[in-house]
Amino acid sequence: MVDQKVTEIEVIHSWSAPRSLSTSLMYSFAQRNDIEVLDEPLYANFLKLTGVQRPYRDQVLSTMESDGAKVVNDVIYGRGEKKYRFCKHMAKQWLPGLPDDLIKEGKHFILIRNPLDILPSFEKVVSPSSLELGLAQLVDIHTELSALGRAPPVIDAADLQNDPEATLRGLCEDLDIPFQNTMLRWEAGAKPMDGVWAPYWYKTVQKSTGFAPPRKYPEPFPFSHYNLLEQCLPSYNLLRRHIRKPSSLLKSPLPPPDLPVPANEKLLAWVGDEILPRESAKVSVFDSVVQGGDSVWEGLRVYNGKVFKLEEHLDRMFDSAKALAFLNVPTREDIKEAIFRTLIRNGMFDNAHIRLSLTRGKKVTSGMSPEFNLYGCTLVVLAEWKPPVYDNTKGITLVTATTRRNSPNNLDSKIHHNNLLNNILAKIEGNNANANDAIMLDQDGYVSETNATNIFLVKRGSVRTPHADYCLPGITRATVMDIVIKEKLILEERRISLSEFHTADEVWTTGTMGELTPVVKIDGRIIGNGEVGPVTRRIQAVYKTLTEDSGVPIPSNN
């Protein structure tokens, strides 16, 4: 019985850079009993339009159709005898003028490979360049397909090497085609579908019989291509975010977490002297904040188009930087400009929090000494949509940590530095006790603060807070102390024992991130009647009014 010719064929497009195991993948699909395969059908069109030279240029142009429209309409989407047609494409071959149907029709996927693995072997045939690799074009193809509502699956060549069956099964599932075990093996030797360029590019793959596992250690990188690597890696990393399971030497078994505020998935942050998307906003591995937590920081809030207590926070940041002997510190106006530009770019004019960091800067080599810091400081402005992080209506629970707050004998807490291990250890104790935060005592056993906030109590109408000897003299703390005085309440700043907090009528904490937060339980003791007290609510109301009415306005062009 003669097979009926299939009049409609479903086309599967593979888009990749050269040296990305694309030919191995073509061989894999060629083993299926329901598919026919085309090896770079757009190659002649690419050579004709770009004028790119190849040792086999004349042979390609004389044996392949070079009219892009004809290739797309008659070759790629022409009739066939199988259910599917697999088309292997290099991304650089997607040129202007090709019919829209090339992208709009068929099933598409993108194969990527780390440029670190591509470049060492690429120059054996042609001189590598950004155009020749085509990684930027791969991003354009992904963007184009995503805009059409057809975001393509992305697979990494490293996954094909490490676990070919799982990767192929996942790809087939994404393409909505059945997986076939025959895709895992093929016979060595040249294949009928190989392009005329095979003798130049396919010598190794033609010796293979399947996806070979990667070598334990990579080849040395040719540093003559270092600049090209810097150009290409961002495109690879951008596409890598879209793969099912990221390839990494240090794989994480954890699924992508949900963000506390989903809107923060897409934000812009200031790093150094530029604004970058969230996933690209990184400091150098040579930066002092990475090398030793050598950085100072401030937390600020934005209310109604104004940055609350901006000048006070900057005063403290400059004091901290001076205490740590930072050099080449940005000017006050430069920092304010970076803050404003970041907020405006993000459209954040209310209910936003800023984590402002100033590191000692990048080092010329790894090491502790500030003598290695010859680039100047690094400024980071991280603005997020972030409501107050505590329950300021019903209150929170605290426990007392065994970790003591740093003494000025060791590291003065008045320096608002990024080396927060002292606080983090206390926070771990709080987490383990299912408490919101942990109280930290000083070396003499008196209450200092919590791991993240300053702390106040009310007893018989008197408001008390610990001396700022072991704790950070917070901006919100100072603001609340001023409110207490203006409200004609008694304010005491002195040493306070833990038992005084256990037996207080009311307790609250203060901090920019959480504002003014009631505390209803400490170490299992109910504070007052277990509800938010009248003095707390009174101070909260005044503080809320203050945040609405004051602050430095975010500038505009109007």
Side-chain angles (χ1 to χ4, degrees):
M1 183 175 180
V2 180
D3 290 338
Q4 293 290 319
K5 178 170 284 192
V6 178
T7 56
E8 290 186 9
I9 193 166
E10 198 161 11
V11 179
I12 298 170
H13 299 273
S14 166
W15 297 96
S16 67
R19 318 305 282 174
S20 298
L21 302 189
S22 57
T23 305
S24 295
L25 192 59
M26 179 180 73
Y27 288 177
S28 170
F29 271 84
Q31 307 314 303
R32 298 176 61 99
N33 59 13
D34 57 0
I35 203 162
E36 57 188 59
V37 172
L38 295 179
D39 189 6
E40 299 186 44
L42 292 167
Y43 207 158
N45 178 71
F46 169 77
L47 293 177
K48 175 184 174 183
L49 294 183
T50 63
V52 167
Q53 294 300 312
R54 292 287 189 270
Y56 43 81
R57 174 185 169 87
D58 292 342
Q59 190 177 2
V60 171
L61 290 174
S62 65
T63 59
M64 295 181 67
E65 176 61 63
S66 62
D67 184 306
K70 289 182 179 179
V71 174
V72 172
N73 296 325
D74 300 337
V75 179
I76 293 176
Y77 288 115
R79 293 184 176 187
E81 298 181 358
K82 298 288 182 74
K83 183 175 182 180
Y84 303 108
R85 175 177 292 137
F86 179 93
C87 293
K88 170 191 158 191
H89 304 294
M90 296 296 107
K92 63 192 173 191
Q93 296 167 5
W94 183 51
L95 296 176
L98 289 171
D100 292 343
D101 282 352
L102 176 64
I103 291 294
K104 290 183 176 179
E105 301 297 328
K107 301 172 183 285
H108 298 258
F109 72 90
I110 289 175
L111 170 64
I112 60 173
R113 193 181 191 190
N114 194 321
L116 281 167
D117 297 318
I118 295 176
L119 288 170
S121 64
F122 194 92
E123 63 183 349
K124 295 175 183 177
V125 180
V126 298
S127 179
S129 67
S130 180
L131 173 64
E132 288 287 4
L133 265 68
L135 283 165
Q137 289 93 324
L138 276 180
V139 174
D140 291 341
I141 291 168
H142 187 278
T143 302
E144 181 83 8
L145 287 164
S146 297
L148 294 170
R150 308 176 66 221
V154 179
I155 62 172
D156 195 305
D159 290 325
L160 278 173
Q161 291 179 300
N162 288 310
D163 194 346
E165 181 172 350
T167 304
L168 289 171
R169 283 185 180 276
L171 177 60
C172 289
E173 181 180 336
D174 289 336
L175 295 172
D176 195 24
I177 65 174
F179 169 76
Q180 292 184 8
N181 284 314
T182 55
M183 298 174 71
L184 297 172
R185 306 293 297 176
W186 53 83
E187 292 185 3
K191 309 292 186 291
M193 79 284 296
D194 289 344
V196 298
W197 48 89
Y200 296 87
W201 293 97
Y202 296 178
K203 291 179 182 179
T204 300
V205 69
Q206 287 178 347
K207 296 176 184 177
S208 70
T209 58
F211 293 100
R215 297 176 179 176
K216 184 175 181 180
Y217 298 107
E219 296 181 47
F221 182 76
F223 278 84
S224 57
H225 301 320
Y226 186 84
N227 291 341
L228 182 57
L229 177 67
E230 284 194 311
Q231 293 176 41
C232 296
L233 267 177
S235 296
Y236 168 74
N237 288 327
L238 183 64
L239 290 167
R240 188 170 173 269
R241 296 176 204 154
H242 298 285
I243 64 179
R244 274 189 164 210
K245 176 175 65 64
S247 274
S248 173
L249 184 63
L250 301 175
K251 289 187 174 68
S252 171
L254 302 176
D258 294 327
L259 300 182
V261 180
N264 288 327
E265 181 180 2
K266 296 180 179 179
L267 55 77
L268 301 168
W270 182 287
V271 181
D273 58 359
E274 59 183 339
I275 292 179
L276 298 165
R278 175 180 177 130
E279 294 302 321
S280 301
K282 299 176 175 66
V283 297
S284 168
V285 294
F286 287 96
D287 198 281
S288 290
V289 72
V290 178
Q291 295 279 321
D294 191 1
S295 175
V296 297
W297 71 282
E298 291 294 322
L300 304 96
R301 273 206 172 276
V302 179
Y303 302 93
N304 300 322
K306 300 184 290 291
V307 183
F308 188 59
K309 297 291 181 180
L310 174 59
E311 301 298 346
E312 291 86 342
H313 280 286
L314 291 180
D315 285 342
R316 187 170 65 185
M317 171 169 273
F318 280 106
D319 285 346
S320 296
K322 186 174 183 179
L324 293 177
F326 280 15
L327 299 176
N328 299 308
V329 176
T331 67
R332 192 182 194 93
E333 288 308 309
D334 284 344
I335 294 177
K336 289 167 74 171
E337 190 72 11
I339 292 171
F340 294 145
R341 286 178 178 272
T342 304
L343 291 171
I344 292 168
R345 286 291 192 188
N346 283 290
M348 293 180 178
F349 303 101
D350 191 29
N351 203 30
H353 178 271
I354 303 164
R355 176 82 174 211
L356 180 69
S357 299
L358 184 70
T359 84
R360 195 183 295 272
K362 192 168 63 172
K363 294 177 179 290
V364 293
T365 186
S366 60
M368 182 192 303
S369 176
E371 292 180 350
F372 297 145
N373 291 86
L374 302 178
Y375 295 96
C377 293
T378 302
L379 179 68
V380 177
V381 184
L382 174 58
E384 295 179 274
W385 300 109
K386 184 171 289 192
V389 296
Y390 302 113
D391 187 341
N392 291 348
T393 302
K394 296 181 179 179
I396 63 171
T397 297
L398 301 178
V399 294
T400 302
T402 59
T403 304
R404 297 300 176 100
R405 194 65 177 96
N406 283 333
S407 163
N409 288 326
N410 308 114
L411 183 59
D412 194 344
S413 296
K414 293 178 181 62
I415 302 173
H416 204 195
H417 55 81
N418 282 64
N419 200 322
L420 300 176
L421 289 178
N422 181 229
N423 308 70
I424 291 169
L425 289 170
K427 178 61 175 173
I428 290 171
E429 294 188 58
N431 290 347
N432 290 340
N434 294 316
N436 297 97
D437 272 332
I439 290 175
M440 301 183 73
L441 309 179
D442 64 26
Q443 65 180 6
D444 295 322
Y446 291 95
V447 171
S448 174
E449 59 181 344
T450 78
N451 56 272
T453 56
N454 295 122
I455 191 165
F456 291 75
L457 69 78
V458 179
K459 187 70 173 180
R460 299 187 185 91
S462 172
V463 178
R464 304 167 191 171
T465 192
H467 281 299
D469 293 334
Y470 288 80
C471 69
L472 178 76
I475 305 297
T476 309
R477 173 182 182 270
T479 303
V480 168
M481 291 171 75
D482 287 342
I483 292 173
V484 168
I485 293 170
K486 288 177 182 177
E487 290 296 302
K488 311 261 186 244
L489 295 167
I490 298 171
L491 175 67
E492 294 182 71
E493 187 181 13
R494 63 170 175 81
R495 278 184 158 187
I496 305 176
S497 66
L498 183 58
S499 64
E500 290 182 83
F501 277 93
H502 287 162
T503 58
D505 299 327
E506 302 177 41
V507 175
W508 71 72
T509 64
T510 60
T512 300
M513 192 172 289
E515 299 178 336
L516 198 153
T517 304
V519 177
V520 294
K521 183 186 289 187
I522 299 175
D523 298 327
R525 281 84 161 178
I526 301 298
I527 304 301
N529 62 3
E531 298 181 354
V532 182
V535 178
T536 304
R537 292 195 183 281
R538 178 177 167 186
I539 303 301
Q540 279 182 322
V542 178
Y543 183 83
K544 184 175 187 298
T545 300
L546 189 63
T547 62
E548 292 170 348
D549 297 341
S550 62
V552 176
I554 301 168
S556 68
N557 294 319
N558 298 329

